[in-house]
Amino acid sequence: MLRLKVISGHLSPGSPHTGPDLRATRCGAAAGGPGEDVVVVHGRRTAIGRAKKGGFKDTTPDELLSAVMTAVLTDVGLSPHQLGDVCVGNVLQPGAGALMARVAHFLSGFPETVPVFTVNRQCSSGLQAVLNIAGAIRSRTIDLGLACGVESMSLQSMSNPGDLSARLSQNPKARDCIVPMGITSENVAERFGVCRQKQDAFALGSQQKAARAQSLGLFEREITPVSTRVVDSDGRERQLTVSRDEGVRAETTLEGLSKLRPAFKPDGTTTAGNSSQVSDGAAAVLVGRRSAVEALGLPVLGVLRGSAVVGVPPDVMGIGPAYAIPAALKQAGLTVDDIDVFEINEAFASQAVYCVEKLGIPMEKVNPCGGAIALGHPLGCTGARQVVTLLNELRRRGRRAYGVVSMCIGTGMGAAAVFEYPGL
């Protein structure tokens, strides 16, 4: 085990879901006045490393998680004893990383009296961790909690679906749950007419926006530099500090993207260049009841105004945000036009383009600092990372503003949450 040091539309024809009556699991703004608001105090993330090739390829997820847990509390001067609970989103570790999370908890110097649990809602696991902590605050179980997400896609594979019934093959929807993610992207592109040119143009935009943000130092406030070790092919170890997202390719061109071969089917349109990158990383978000946060003299970075999780057909799982976002906005009493920034996870350009066009979102509001095509998509981490990135982007605008975090979810779901930045 390595020890780290923290340095600083419409659905497919025939679908039963055809309109706004989609069933959603929701938790809206708390009743009882502004003192009961669920607020975000602070958040940090690691840089995102390239899986199996990058600076975190030999780093265990408990170490990545410990780095961000420690950084968040250190930044705001909060003792871990003051936390009521910790929730960690994770997808690939055995048991959703329950053992890993408790180990990270102790590596971070947290007392045994503070509990921790994990959640696996696949690509939305990091956001679900935030919503779980928010739910505990609303139920008055806790006043403060830490919501995290972590994934090492270097050390764990997505190839094992686990133990499933032989009857799966007899049920079309169940069978669709194991359709490869790349094929679900191709299904979206074909069914909803998202051409290769649109996908490549979206991917180029992601790279350009991320490169600009990186060159301007916009990620420095949110990234916790981490010292670790990597082992080369000859078994030699070297020390390094990972402080920059490794997937950003400033030299990307539309011509170069257009030359890439389809990755999942010979006549397809989904390529390595217009898909999210396989990655390693972690993020942590400190969440609390406004009254408790203010009593401790802590800042308020954002207010959770609404959230929703919806189900969609598994074989086009990527359309999830097109249905989760309206549900969350309705709960918050807002419309697409009220939102300043949309952080929509770029699992694939095909599905991201579909969702943006379906909802009529102006492209300049989408992922202004780039998304998973450029930055990477460490599955359990991404939702928490998006919250950190969103709220820092809203803060840079220096005025009251609203933002949305959303993502599609494997097996056919979408999740979204609405946040308000209260202004300076």
Side-chain angles (χ1 to χ4, degrees), residues 48 122-125 127 202 206 274-277 279 317-322 325 342-356 366-367 370-387 404-410 415-416:
I48 300 175
Q122 300 194 68
C123 297
S124 70
S125 297
L127 177 60
F202 185 91
S206 181
N274 59 36
S275 304
S276 59
Q277 300 183 41
S279 311
M317 63 91 201
I319 68 175
I325 290 173
F342 290 83
E343 284 287 333
I344 300 177
N345 188 41
E346 301 167 358
F348 301 96
S350 62
Q351 56 83 209
V353 169
Y354 169 79
C355 294
V356 170
V366 178
N367 301 347
I373 289 172
L375 300 175
H377 178 24
L379 305 175
C381 163
T382 289
R385 193 280 301 169
Q386 287 178 285
V387 173
V404 166
V405 166
S406 187
M407 66 285 294
C408 60
I409 305 170

Side-chain angles (χ1 to χ4, degrees), residues 5-368:
K5 177 184 177 183
V6 181
I7 296 188
S8 22
H10 293 289
L11 297 181
S12 56
S15 167
H17 299 307
T18 57
D21 60 338
L22 284 165
R23 296 179 179 179
T25 304
R26 306 173 182 180
C27 54
E36 295 298 296
D37 284 343
V38 173
V39 302
V40 174
V41 174
H42 185 51
R44 295 278 273 186
R45 69 177 178 92
T46 67
I48 300 175
R50 294 196 302 158
K52 303 185 185 300
K53 298 179 181 178
F56 292 140
K57 73 179 184 67
D58 300 308
T59 304
T60 54
D62 51 349
E63 293 285 12
L64 294 173
L65 182 57
S66 176
V68 292
M69 293 170 72
T70 301
V72 167
L73 297 192
T74 298
D75 285 352
V76 299
L78 189 72
S79 167
H81 291 81
Q82 295 170 278
L83 296 174
D85 209 348
V86 178
C87 183
V88 179
N90 182 260
V91 178
L92 298 180
Q93 288 290 309
L99 172 61
M100 174 273 299
R102 187 65 164 166
V103 169
H105 182 275
F106 290 126
L107 294 179
S108 305
F110 284 28
E112 63 187 30
T113 52
V114 175
V116 61
F117 69 108
T118 60
V119 61
N120 179 0
R121 205 194 282 267
Q122 300 194 68
C123 297
S124 70
S125 297
L127 177 60
Q128 189 63 54
V130 174
L131 301 182
N132 284 0
I133 292 295
I137 292 167
R138 289 196 176 99
S139 71
R140 306 197 69 82
T141 305
I142 64 173
D143 287 325
L144 286 170
L146 197 60
C148 311
V150 64
E151 207 72 68
S152 172
M153 299 182 79
S154 290
L155 302 181
Q156 287 289 332
S157 169
M158 297 175 61
S159 61
N160 182 4
D163 301 317
L164 298 171
S165 169
R167 295 193 299 118
L168 172 147
S169 62
Q170 302 166 23
N171 185 301
K173 291 298 180 184
R175 188 171 61 242
D176 285 346
C177 289
I178 61 169
V179 170
M181 292 296 98
I183 298 302
T184 71
S185 172
E186 295 289 4
N187 290 344
V188 170
E190 294 171 11
R191 199 166 301 173
F192 302 107
V194 184
C195 67
R196 169 74 182 266
Q197 289 74 21
K198 282 186 177 181
Q199 294 176 57
D200 286 348
F202 185 91
L204 176 63
S206 181
Q207 290 287 356
Q208 290 176 332
K209 288 183 285 188
R212 175 185 176 276
Q214 196 172 66
S215 68
L216 293 176
L218 301 187
F219 295 131
E220 291 178 5
R221 185 189 286 266
E222 62 192 68
I223 291 179
T224 298
V226 176
S227 289
T228 187
R229 298 179 295 167
V230 294
V231 182
D232 66 20
S233 58
D234 296 320
R236 294 188 296 262
E237 293 185 356
R238 64 182 176 91
Q239 298 283 334
L240 80 163
T241 297
V242 183
S243 60
R244 285 168 61 88
D245 298 313
E246 296 176 343
V248 181
R249 298 183 177 93
E251 71 283 0
T252 301
T253 65
L254 198 57
E255 180 183 12
L257 289 170
S258 69
K259 292 179 180 178
L260 296 175
R261 296 179 178 179
F264 301 101
K265 55 189 298 188
D267 59 344
T269 58
T270 302
T271 72
N274 59 36
S275 304
S276 59
Q277 300 183 41
V278 178
S279 311
D280 307 322
V285 181
L286 180 60
V287 184
R289 187 188 322 280
R290 187 194 288 270
S291 57
V293 166
E294 291 177 345
L296 290 168
L298 297 173
V300 173
L301 180 59
V303 185
L304 177 63
R305 292 303 187 193
S307 63
V309 182
V310 306
V312 298
D315 63 332
V316 287
M317 63 91 201
I319 68 175
Y323 294 88
I325 290 173
L329 288 175
K330 181 178 180 180
Q331 185 188 109
L334 299 170
T335 69
V336 167
D337 292 340
D338 296 319
I339 304 303
D340 298 271
V341 176
F342 290 83
E343 284 287 333
I344 300 177
N345 188 41
E346 301 167 358
F348 301 96
S350 62
Q351 56 83 209
V353 169
Y354 169 79
C355 294
V356 170
E357 292 185 346
K358 166 71 176 174
L359 297 178
I361 302 172
M363 193 59 75
E364 62 269 19
K365 291 186 176 183
V366 178
N367 301 347

